[in-house]
Amino acid sequence: MRDPGFDALTEPPDPASKVAAAALDDLNTGHRDDVLVVGRVLGAVADATDAEAVGIDRSGVDVRVRRPTGHITVRIPFLREATDLASLRAQVLGLASWAAEVGSRPDGEVERLTREGPARTIVAEVIASEPVTSRTRRLTLGGEGLDQFVPAGPGQYVCLLIPPSGSGWLTVDESFGWDQYLRMPSPVRPHTAHYFIRSWRPFERELDVDIVLHGRGATAAWAERAEPGEPVALWGPRAAFCPPAGTSRYLLIGDETTLGGIAAMLEVLPPTAPTTVVIEVATDADRIDLPARPLVDVTWLVRDRTSGLAALVDAARSPAPAATYVWGGGEGCTMESLRAHLRANGFGDDQLSLSATWWSSAHGWTT
């Protein structure tokens, strides 16, 4: 079924479309290296030094590539037509993974993406499930497949692959890749969703992910009923925490979907670095105990009691842009508004790492 808001993404892309604008901004700020790989390899511009997504629609993405002799814009078709925002992202990242695999002379960003990207499928299983709050469940994943897991540092996340709807069978193995995923018929294609890692215990070969049971979405329904022995696979991890050199202050912003990642980061941030944490939740019952650290100031906000994003940031008394790194995750349009708000207040793109973990049905999207 096509998400109702997807009709806002026209062919050719309308620059005024909020959906197209949000998708392009997400690619160019959160996945710029992936865009470069696609332009360099699939666009056949081997000497590309930078790339920017300038247009996007259901069937492909337009990439403006910088090369030593000037710029060129190339059209990269998707392997399958996208039907919603989630599949749109999957198509772009799938192209990036495919490009990294077929690139004959990987170097620079291609080599890095090949090393960090979802080239390896790790097959695991659920070994424990426990409630964190009334709406969040912690799944512990384990198994011999996690011998292949290489941590990516604070703020790392994985893409979970779960059995397709109506099936208890995982339809992938260790050889599975993005190109295969994109070409699979829908009835046997695994559901995918990205989650931040709360804990990684290498000696036990176990990792924890916290999943919000928001009442919609295949992954949430699966997490609610998952029992020990349930098969699962994962891609990653990928790092979403990349502060530039010279960072001395941190601002972490999130919601229920990012609490595990924020807790993990607070455990490893420099104890001498002032850190402001702003978390917006649906109800007071969604709060959790966060690691207690010196110089950490935590502000909890309840979603229906706040007056928007500017109030959210102002309530945190966010520090001046100089030497401050902002990490954030949450509802997609909220993250895009946050990015614009911070840019307008002097933050550079290298100081911002903001990820959409879900999309509100109020904007025509759900996860």
Side-chain angles (χ1 to χ4, degrees):
M1 179 181 297
R2 176 169 290 161
D3 287 338
F6 198 67
D7 288 336
L9 188 60
T10 59
E11 293 184 20
D14 177 4
S17 164
K18 291 183 179 179
V19 176
L24 289 174
D25 200 32
D26 178 62
L27 286 175
N28 290 323
T29 56
H31 302 282
R32 191 65 171 253
D33 54 351
D34 297 327
V35 176
L36 174 59
V37 170
V38 169
R40 181 182 291 173
V41 179
L42 300 184
V45 187
D47 58 348
T49 58
D50 192 18
E52 177 185 14
V54 294
I56 195 166
D57 55 48
R58 298 186 182 99
S59 61
V61 59
D62 299 309
V63 178
R64 187 168 185 256
V65 180
R66 178 187 298 167
R67 55 196 311 187
T69 57
H71 292 82
I72 183 174
T73 299
V74 293
R75 174 70 173 179
I76 311 295
F78 293 146
L79 298 177
R80 301 172 69 96
E81 182 178 277
T83 56
D84 55 25
L85 188 58
S87 65
L88 188 76
R89 279 206 182 99
Q91 291 288 348
V92 174
L93 298 180
L95 289 176
S97 179
W98 184 25
E101 291 177 9
V102 304
S104 59
R105 294 186 301 276
D107 63 341
E109 293 297 334
V110 176
E111 182 180 7
R112 192 191 67 73
L113 184 64
T114 302
R115 182 173 66 252
E116 294 185 2
R120 177 190 299 115
T121 298
I122 297 174
V123 177
E125 66 179 11
V126 176
I127 61 174
S129 174
E130 62 177 354
V132 178
T133 70
S134 60
R135 296 198 314 126
T136 302
R137 196 152 197 88
R138 176 167 299 161
L139 297 186
T140 299
L141 310 182
E144 293 182 0
L146 288 173
D147 285 340
Q148 306 300 316
F149 185 87
V150 180
Q156 62 187 337
Y157 63 94
V158 293
C159 177
L160 293 188
L161 295 87
I162 65 171
S165 298
S167 170
W169 296 96
L170 189 63
T171 53
V172 305
D173 58 20
E174 292 83 357
S175 65
F176 191 68
W178 266 108
D179 54 337
Q180 292 168 277
Y181 170 83
L182 294 171
R183 297 179 187 278
M184 287 182 82
S186 296
V188 296
R189 183 186 303 157
H191 293 292
T192 62
H194 291 83
Y195 293 98
F196 293 101
I197 295 176
R198 173 61 186 91
S199 301
W200 161 241
R201 295 176 293 279
F203 295 108
E204 291 85 2
R205 294 185 303 202
E206 295 177 356
L207 62 84
D208 299 328
V209 292
D210 294 349
I211 299 177
V212 177
L213 310 178
H214 46 59
R216 61 178 186 270
T219 310
W222 170 84
E224 190 167 15
R225 67 174 186 272
E227 298 180 352
E230 183 86 18
V232 63
L234 57 91
W235 278 320
R238 293 289 297 271
F241 185 83
C242 306
T247 297
S248 59
R249 303 178 68 100
Y250 297 89
L251 173 59
L252 310 180
I253 301 175
D255 62 12
E256 304 94 324
T257 64
T258 62
L259 284 176
I262 289 174
M265 282 184 282
L266 289 177
E267 292 177 342
V268 299
L269 284 180
T272 57
T275 302
T276 299
V277 182
V278 182
I279 301 173
E280 185 185 58
V281 293
T283 69
D284 289 319
D286 292 310
R287 298 189 184 194
I288 66 170
D289 292 329
L290 294 172
R293 297 290 302 273
L295 303 182
V296 173
D297 177 46
V298 180
T299 298
W300 290 90
L301 302 174
V302 176
R303 192 163 292 124
D304 291 338
R305 301 179 200 163
T306 61
S307 57
L309 191 58
L312 183 154
V313 176
D314 293 341
R317 297 180 178 87
S318 58
T324 300
Y325 177 71
V326 184
W327 183 96
E331 195 276 325
C333 290
T334 300
M335 288 297 104
E336 294 306 319
S337 298
L338 175 58
R339 192 190 310 279
H341 180 79
L342 292 170
R343 284 172 172 167
N345 282 275
F347 285 84
D349 284 339
D350 64 333
Q351 296 174 274
L352 306 177
S353 179
L354 306 174
S355 303
T357 58
W358 61 286
W359 294 81
S360 169
S361 58
H363 301 289
W365 306 104
T366 59
T367 55

